[in-house]
Amino acid sequence: MDKRNCNYSLYLVTDRGLLGDKDLAKTVEQAIQGGVTVVQVREKNLSSAEFYQVALVIKGVTEKYGVPLIVNDRADIALAVDAAGLHIGQEDLPVAVARKMLGPDKIIGVSAATLAEALLAQEQGADYLGVGAVFPTNTKDDADSVSLAELEAIKAKVKIPIVAIGGINGSNIRDVMNTGVDGVAVVSVIVAAADPKAATCKLYQLMKQ
Amino acid sequence: MDKRNCNYSLYLVTDRGLLGDKDLAKTVEQAIQGGVTVVQVREKNLSSAEFYQVALVIKGVTEKYGVPLIVNDRADIALAVDAAGLHIGQEDLPVAVARKMLGPDKIIGVSAATLAEALLAQEQGADYLGVGAVFPTNTKDDADSVSLAELEAIKAKVKIPIVAIGGINGSNIRDVMNTGVDGVAVVSVIVAAADPKAATCKLYQLMKQ
């Protein structure tokens, strides 16, 4: 896949801690069947061996559906499973260092919580930005807050795709899309759902309205 | 450096938690001045950005003295700082995956606590083994125990260099060297010492006796 064609509109971020009794690979598969366009495997507190195994299993699912897989934080795991890309936060490897390792054809996404961080990441060669947290969230402790007005202002000033993240669900997804962003990233609304496919379908339809 | 010429005899493993008021880079430099022949940067519970920065600073020190730097666990950090190699435990990336990423010229060391693990790692292409814990240690929670007799048996059956690790200090370093191993790895006896250079000199002399 040419990375410029990546569809960021409904971006799933994994979190095994929210699965309950469900299986991660099965949940990801159902989310893809429901309309998820890109999957980021983000699993903290796993050993490298475990994270590699999880990423490998999810790669099997995403590949089956032709959906790009992004690995959070770990450039080595991204390379090891030949993921489509890497997502790095402000506490992860510098963009330039990651780019050197991954080469020009891999997607590198960067988390940004301010316009300054967004512009810097774009200048450093990020392919897209994850901007948030738009709404309060329990899935990321250190999340800064970004209002819808700030999100709109950032979208107006950067050229690369922007994926909004943080507490997005069926009740606010339209407000987020109305800021002009290219996509929304969700975690719990899909991962914690009893029926991940139905939950994704519902989000997808609201998003496309 | 040709990796086959690596001198594993006095192998320092870092642990910032044991430094007290001392500086890590300065401590590593003094240890090298005292006789350390290889340095592994092993820092758990750091963000990727922090681990990268620590590894980069230590690389500056090891390079100045021509001492090989090994990075623990993280193949991406090893690549990012152009370390001489990577050390992987049983909970880290598989050897074959790490080798594919690092290429044939980088050192890959593997932790082994049994003869079976040692032989498997050798077969998978490890360049050296870290075998232990030989004595009880507080620096690694999950350390299995390997007796001196087991260490000697492993050394007799594997061809690649063996570095013994775990609770090694001035009072037992001779017993460890007498098993025929190629080197000893130490953490606290140098990192926690008030005078890291003097502590290293003392170990070095005992080792060479």
Side-chain angles (χ1 to χ4, degrees):
Chain A
M1 185 197 75
D2 184 325
K3 70 179 183 180
R4 288 165 301 182
N5 299 332
C6 185
N7 175 355
Y8 293 101
S9 57
L10 192 48
Y11 184 125
L12 174 67
V13 180
T14 72
D15 185 341
R16 288 157 77 252
L18 298 172
L19 283 170
D21 294 334
K22 302 195 302 295
D23 174 70
L24 179 61
K26 184 95 184 159
T27 299
V28 169
E29 180 159 24
Q30 291 169 340
I32 291 171
Q33 290 169 343
V36 155
T37 60
V38 51
V39 175
Q40 178 190 138
V41 57
R42 179 173 80 192
E43 298 296 341
K44 303 292 186 184
N45 308 315
L46 289 184
S47 71
S48 295
E50 290 167 327
F51 192 25
Y52 169 67
Q53 287 302 331
V54 168
L56 207 56
V57 168
I58 302 304
K59 175 77 188 318
V61 177
T62 56
E63 196 157 62
K64 180 175 164 191
Y65 292 90
V67 164
L69 175 69
I70 309 281
V71 171
N72 183 270
D73 180 16
R74 296 285 302 261
D76 47 359
I77 307 286
L79 286 170
V81 304
D82 191 26
L86 175 72
H87 187 89
I88 50 188
Q90 299 288 324
E91 291 302 308
D92 300 339
L93 286 178
V95 180
V97 171
R99 178 63 73 200
K100 197 174 165 195
M101 246 179 284
L102 294 175
D105 298 334
K106 296 288 189 190
I107 296 167
I108 295 182
V110 175
S111 296
T114 63
L115 178 60
E117 285 178 359
L119 290 171
L120 180 63
Q122 174 177 266
E123 189 189 316
Q124 292 172 330
D127 294 300
Y128 77 91
L129 300 174
V131 178
V134 183
F135 303 104
T137 167
N138 293 320
T139 60
K140 220 177 166 191
D141 295 341
D142 56 351
D144 293 314
S145 141
V146 176
S147 70
L148 290 177
E150 289 171 301
L151 189 59
E152 195 166 358
I154 293 171
K155 175 60 197 169
K157 290 196 173 107
V158 304
K159 290 176 185 137
I160 56 178
I162 288 189
V163 180
I165 188 166
I168 298 170
N169 56 41
S171 69
N172 58 33
I173 192 170
R174 283 297 337 145
D175 295 336
V176 175
M177 290 308 291
N178 288 340
T179 64
V181 294
D182 303 272
V184 295
V186 292
V187 191
S188 55
V189 68
I190 292 177
V191 177
D195 184 340
K197 185 176 170 180
T200 310
C201 281
K202 192 179 153 194
L203 278 178
Y204 187 82
Q205 286 159 6
L206 287 165
M207 193 185 68
K208 292 287 175 187
Q209 268 173 14
Chain B
M1 184 198 76
D2 184 324
K3 70 178 182 179
R4 289 166 300 184
N5 299 333
C6 185
N7 174 355
Y8 294 101
S9 59
L10 192 48
Y11 183 125
L12 174 67
V13 180
T14 71
D15 185 341
R16 289 156 75 251
L18 299 172
L19 283 170
D21 294 335
K22 303 194 302 294
D23 174 70
L24 179 60
K26 185 98 185 157
T27 299
V28 169
E29 180 158 25
Q30 291 169 339
I32 292 172
Q33 291 169 343
V36 154
T37 59
V38 52
V39 175
Q40 178 190 138
V41 58
R42 180 174 78 191
E43 298 295 342
K44 301 293 186 184
N45 308 317
L46 289 184
S47 71
S48 295
E50 291 167 327
F51 192 25
Y52 169 67
Q53 287 303 330
V54 168
L56 207 56
V57 168
I58 302 304
K59 175 77 190 314
V61 178
T62 56
E63 197 157 63
K64 179 175 164 190
Y65 291 91
V67 164
L69 175 69
I70 309 282
V71 171
N72 183 270
D73 180 15
R74 296 287 302 262
D76 48 358
I77 307 285
L79 285 170
V81 306
D82 191 26
L86 174 72
H87 188 90
I88 50 189
Q90 298 288 326
E91 292 301 307
D92 299 339
L93 285 178
V95 179
V97 171
R99 177 62 72 199
K100 197 174 165 195
M101 246 179 285
L102 295 174
D105 297 335
K106 296 288 189 188
I107 296 167
I108 295 182
V110 175
S111 296
T114 63
L115 177 60
E117 285 178 358
L119 290 171
L120 181 63
Q122 174 178 267
E123 189 188 315
Q124 292 173 330
D127 295 301
Y128 77 91
L129 299 173
V131 178
V134 185
F135 302 104
T137 166
N138 293 321
T139 58
K140 220 177 166 191
D141 295 340
D142 57 351
D144 294 313
S145 137
V146 176
S147 70
L148 290 177
E150 289 171 302
L151 189 59
E152 194 166 0
I154 292 171
K155 175 60 197 170
K157 291 197 173 105
V158 305
K159 290 175 183 137
I160 56 178
I162 287 188
V163 180
I165 187 166
I168 298 170
N169 57 41
S171 69
N172 57 33
I173 193 170
R174 282 300 334 146
D175 295 334
V176 175
M177 291 308 291
N178 287 342
T179 65
V181 294
D182 303 272
V184 294
V186 293
V187 190
S188 55
V189 68
I190 292 178
V191 177
D195 184 340
K197 184 175 173 181
T200 310
C201 281
K202 192 178 151 195
L203 278 178
Y204 187 83
Q205 286 159 5
L206 287 165
M207 193 185 67
K208 293 286 174 187
Q209 269 173 14

